[in-house]
Protein backbone atom coordinates (compact mmCIF):
# COMPACT_ATOMS: atom_id res chain seq x y z
CA UNK A 1 0.00 0.00 0.00
CA UNK A 2 1.67 3.21 -1.11
CA UNK A 3 0.77 6.84 -1.55
CA UNK A 4 3.48 8.83 -3.28
CA UNK A 5 6.66 7.76 -1.47
CA UNK A 6 5.11 6.63 1.83
CA UNK A 7 4.73 2.92 2.44
CA UNK A 8 2.71 1.45 5.27
CA UNK A 9 4.57 -1.54 6.64
CA UNK A 10 5.82 -2.96 9.92
CA UNK A 11 7.49 -0.19 11.89
CA UNK A 12 5.11 2.55 10.74
CA UNK A 13 3.56 4.71 13.45
CA UNK A 14 0.03 6.09 13.45
CA UNK A 15 -2.00 8.50 15.53
CA UNK A 16 -5.55 7.13 15.50
CA UNK A 17 -8.74 7.25 17.46
CA UNK A 18 -9.73 3.63 18.05
CA UNK A 19 -11.81 2.02 20.78
CA UNK A 20 -9.83 0.24 23.48
CA UNK A 21 -9.44 -3.46 22.72
CA UNK A 22 -11.59 -4.24 25.78
CA UNK A 23 -14.41 -2.17 24.21
CA UNK A 24 -13.76 0.98 26.20
CA UNK A 25 -14.51 4.24 24.42
CA UNK A 26 -11.65 6.57 23.52
CA UNK A 27 -12.36 10.23 22.86
CA UNK A 28 -8.87 11.14 21.66
CA UNK A 29 -6.21 9.96 19.23
CA UNK A 30 -3.44 7.66 20.45
CA UNK A 31 -0.21 6.40 18.87
CA UNK A 32 0.03 2.87 17.45
CA UNK A 33 2.84 0.81 15.96
CA UNK A 34 2.41 -1.55 13.00
CA UNK A 35 4.06 -4.91 13.80
CA UNK A 36 2.83 -6.89 10.81
CA UNK A 37 0.04 -7.74 8.41
CA UNK A 38 -2.57 -10.46 8.18
CA UNK A 39 -4.70 -10.79 5.05
CA UNK A 40 -5.95 -7.25 4.36
CA UNK A 41 -5.36 -6.02 7.92
CA UNK A 42 -2.48 -4.23 9.63
CA UNK A 43 -1.54 -5.53 13.08
CA UNK A 44 -1.02 -2.67 15.54
CA UNK A 45 0.08 -2.34 19.13
CA UNK A 46 -0.97 0.53 21.35
CA UNK A 47 1.87 2.92 22.24
CA UNK A 48 1.91 5.20 25.27
CA UNK A 49 4.26 7.88 26.55
CA UNK A 50 6.27 6.85 29.62
CA UNK A 51 6.04 10.34 31.14
CA UNK A 52 4.31 10.01 34.49
CA UNK A 53 3.72 6.30 33.85
CA UNK A 54 7.21 4.92 34.43
CA UNK A 55 5.75 2.44 36.93
CA UNK A 56 3.81 0.79 34.09
CA UNK A 57 7.11 -0.47 32.67
CA UNK A 58 7.13 -2.93 35.57
CA UNK A 59 4.10 -4.74 34.07
CA UNK A 60 4.93 -7.83 32.01
CA UNK A 61 2.47 -6.58 29.39
CA UNK A 62 4.41 -3.36 28.73
CA UNK A 63 7.78 -2.94 27.04
CA UNK A 64 9.80 0.23 26.66
CA UNK A 65 10.57 1.29 23.11
CA UNK A 66 14.27 2.06 23.45
CA UNK A 67 14.78 3.57 19.99
CA UNK A 68 11.41 5.32 19.76
CA UNK A 69 12.33 8.22 17.46
CA UNK A 70 11.20 8.00 14.67
CA UNK A 71 8.28 7.48 14.38
CA UNK A 72 7.41 8.55 17.94
CA UNK A 73 8.39 11.89 19.46
CA UNK A 74 8.26 11.01 23.15
CA UNK A 75 9.88 8.28 25.20
CA UNK A 76 7.31 5.51 24.91
CA UNK A 77 6.31 1.97 25.66
CA UNK A 78 4.27 -0.57 23.76
CA UNK A 79 1.39 -2.55 25.26
CA UNK A 80 1.71 -6.25 24.42
CA UNK A 81 -1.66 -7.41 25.80
CA UNK A 82 -3.87 -5.96 23.05
CA UNK A 83 -3.64 -6.39 19.29
CA UNK A 84 -5.53 -4.13 16.90
CA UNK A 85 -6.35 -5.52 13.46
CA UNK A 86 -7.11 -2.52 11.26
CA UNK A 87 -8.28 -3.00 7.70
CA UNK A 88 -6.00 -1.41 5.12
CA UNK A 89 -7.56 1.64 3.50
CA UNK A 90 -6.62 5.09 2.14
CA UNK A 91 -7.79 6.81 5.34
CA UNK A 92 -4.71 5.47 7.13
CA UNK A 93 -2.39 7.68 5.07
CA UNK A 94 -3.84 10.77 6.79
CA UNK A 95 -2.65 9.57 10.20
CA UNK A 96 0.91 8.35 9.60
CA UNK A 97 3.52 9.72 11.99
CA UNK A 98 6.94 11.16 11.08
CA UNK A 99 6.19 11.35 7.35
CA UNK A 100 6.29 7.57 7.15
CA UNK A 101 9.69 7.09 8.80
CA UNK A 102 9.72 3.68 10.45
CA UNK A 103 10.96 2.43 13.76
CA UNK A 104 14.55 1.13 13.60
CA UNK A 105 14.58 -2.41 12.20
CA UNK A 106 16.41 -3.91 15.18
CA UNK A 107 13.97 -2.27 17.61
CA UNK A 108 10.99 -3.48 15.58
CA UNK A 109 12.43 -7.01 15.51
CA UNK A 110 12.94 -6.92 19.29
CA UNK A 111 9.37 -5.75 19.92
CA UNK A 112 7.92 -8.27 17.47
CA UNK A 113 9.72 -11.14 19.22
CA UNK A 114 8.63 -9.86 22.64
CA UNK A 115 5.03 -9.63 21.42
CA UNK A 116 5.14 -13.19 20.02
CA UNK A 117 6.55 -14.52 23.29
CA UNK A 118 4.00 -12.61 25.34
CA UNK A 119 1.11 -13.81 23.14
CA UNK A 120 2.29 -17.41 23.41
CA UNK A 121 2.11 -17.36 27.20
CA UNK A 122 -0.60 -14.80 27.98
CA UNK A 123 -4.04 -13.70 26.91
CA UNK A 124 -4.03 -11.01 24.23
CA UNK A 125 -7.25 -9.13 23.54
CA UNK A 126 -7.87 -8.58 19.83
CA UNK A 127 -9.89 -5.75 18.34
CA UNK A 128 -10.83 -5.82 14.66
CA UNK A 129 -11.53 -2.48 13.00
CA UNK A 130 -12.97 -2.36 9.49
CA UNK A 131 -12.29 0.53 7.12
CA UNK A 132 -15.84 1.80 7.68
CA UNK A 133 -15.37 1.75 11.46
CA UNK A 134 -11.96 3.42 11.08
CA UNK A 135 -13.53 6.27 9.08
CA UNK A 136 -16.28 6.67 11.70
CA UNK A 137 -13.82 6.76 14.64
CA UNK A 138 -11.62 9.38 12.95
CA UNK A 139 -14.58 11.70 12.39
CA UNK A 140 -15.69 11.69 16.06
Amino acid sequence: MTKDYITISAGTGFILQLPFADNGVVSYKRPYLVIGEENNFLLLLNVSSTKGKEHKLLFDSNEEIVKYKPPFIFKSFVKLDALYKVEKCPTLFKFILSKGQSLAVDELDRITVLYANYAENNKVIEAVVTKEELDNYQSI
Side-chain angles (χ1 to χ4, degrees):
M1 177 180 275
T2 61
K3 182 177 180 179
D4 298 326
Y5 64 95
I6 297 176
T7 301
I8 297 176
S9 59
T12 301
F14 286 104
I15 187 85
L16 296 168
Q17 186 167 331
L18 299 177
F20 287 115
D22 63 2
N23 294 322
V25 178
V26 175
S27 58
Y28 53 91
K29 290 185 167 96
R30 305 183 48 81
Y32 292 88
L33 174 67
V34 178
I35 61 164
E37 296 183 28
E38 184 178 279
N39 300 320
N40 196 36
F41 287 81
L42 296 174
L43 307 177
L44 290 85
L45 295 178
N46 190 335
V47 174
S48 186
S49 165
T50 57
K51 186 174 182 178
K53 298 177 253 171
E54 293 82 0
H55 67 283
K56 291 191 175 189
L57 292 174
L58 299 174
F59 301 170
D60 290 341
S61 60
N62 296 333
E63 181 62 36
E64 183 176 10
I65 303 173
V66 179
K67 299 177 184 176
Y68 59 88
K69 192 173 184 179
F72 307 106
I73 298 170
F74 303 109
K75 198 170 184 180
S76 302
F77 65 94
V78 66
K79 299 177 181 186
L80 304 173
D81 59 355
L83 182 69
Y84 295 80
K85 295 181 177 181
V86 178
E87 189 172 10
K88 294 179 187 178
C89 64
T91 299
L92 288 167
F93 287 103
K94 297 177 189 174
F95 302 101
I96 292 176
L97 293 173
S98 298
K99 298 180 183 175
Q101 294 181 73
S102 293
L103 192 68
V105 174
D106 59 334
E107 187 70 354
L108 176 63
D109 290 346
R110 184 181 73 82
I111 289 169
T112 303
V113 167
L114 287 168
Y115 170 76
N117 290 339
Y118 183 88
E120 187 175 309
N121 299 301
N122 300 277
K123 181 179 179 175
V124 173
I125 300 171
E126 291 188 4
V128 177
V129 180
T130 66
K131 56 187 169 188
E132 291 81 13
E133 291 170 325
L134 180 72
D135 286 339
N136 286 339
Y137 293 130
Q138 301 332 294
S139 63
I140 293 175

